[in-house]
Amino acid sequence: MSWSVYVDDHLMCDIEGNHLTSAAIIGHDGSVWAQSNTFPQFKPDEITAIMNDFNEPGVLAPTGLYLGGAKYMVIQGEPGYVIRGKKGPGGVTVKKTGMALIVGIYDEPMTPGQCNMIVERLGDYLIEQGL
C-alpha cells in the first residue's frame, strides 16, 4: 500500500463533518513519505528542531514550533511521543513513530481534540506495525 493512502484515507478523513487542512508522513530524516496537496513547504531545520524536541522534550517551548515558516506555540503533549502546537484558531499535532513523524494541521471548525485523535490514532497503528 502506498503511503499516500494513509494520508488521503486516514489523515484527511472526515470526522464529524470536519477535516484537517493538511497532513503528512515524514521520515525522521526529513524525507517526505506522503503529504496532502496543501501541506506547507517546510525547511529541513524545522524537522530537525521537532526531532530534537522528541529527544529532549521542552526544547521547542521557548521558541515555538515552526512548520513551513508558520510559528506554533507549543502546548501540552506527551514528552517524547506527541508535540502539539497552537496558532490562532488552528494548530498542529505531531506524533512520532519508530520511523516517521505523522503531522496534522487543522483550523476551525475542527477542534484540537479531533486533530489529536486522527494523528495519534494513525501513529499508534504504525507503531503497532513496527513502523
Side-chain angles (χ1 to χ4, degrees):
M1 181 177 346
S2 160
W3 286 107
S4 61
V5 171
Y6 286 103
V7 171
D8 297 341
D9 295 351
H10 299 282
L11 293 175
M12 298 301 288
C13 64
D14 180 291
I15 180 167
E16 297 174 20
N18 299 320
H19 298 84
L20 293 173
T21 54
S22 60
I25 302 173
I26 302 169
H28 288 180
D29 62 357
S31 61
V32 176
W33 293 11
Q35 66 183 18
S36 64
N37 294 337
T38 54
F39 198 77
Q41 181 64 45
F42 61 87
K43 299 179 182 93
D45 59 329
E46 293 172 335
I47 301 304
T48 300
I50 291 169
M51 286 302 296
N52 288 341
D53 194 84
F54 280 119
N55 296 328
E56 292 180 52
V59 171
L60 287 178
T63 59
L65 181 156
Y66 286 85
L67 197 57
K71 180 180 179 179
Y72 296 86
M73 178 178 66
V74 177
I75 55 176
Q76 99 292 348
E78 296 172 38
Y81 300 99
V82 178
I83 300 170
R84 298 183 183 110
K86 187 85 174 121
K87 178 179 184 260
V92 63
T93 301
V94 183
K95 169 81 175 186
K96 181 181 179 220
T97 73
M99 299 170 64
L101 301 174
I102 314 303
V103 184
I105 299 173
Y106 69 95
D107 214 338
E108 287 184 335
M110 179 169 264
T111 66
Q114 290 171 325
C115 178
N116 296 342
M117 186 172 76
I118 289 170
V119 171
E120 294 175 38
R121 181 177 55 198
L122 179 59
D124 290 341
Y125 171 77
L126 294 178
I127 289 169
E128 288 171 10
Q129 302 305 306
L131 301 168

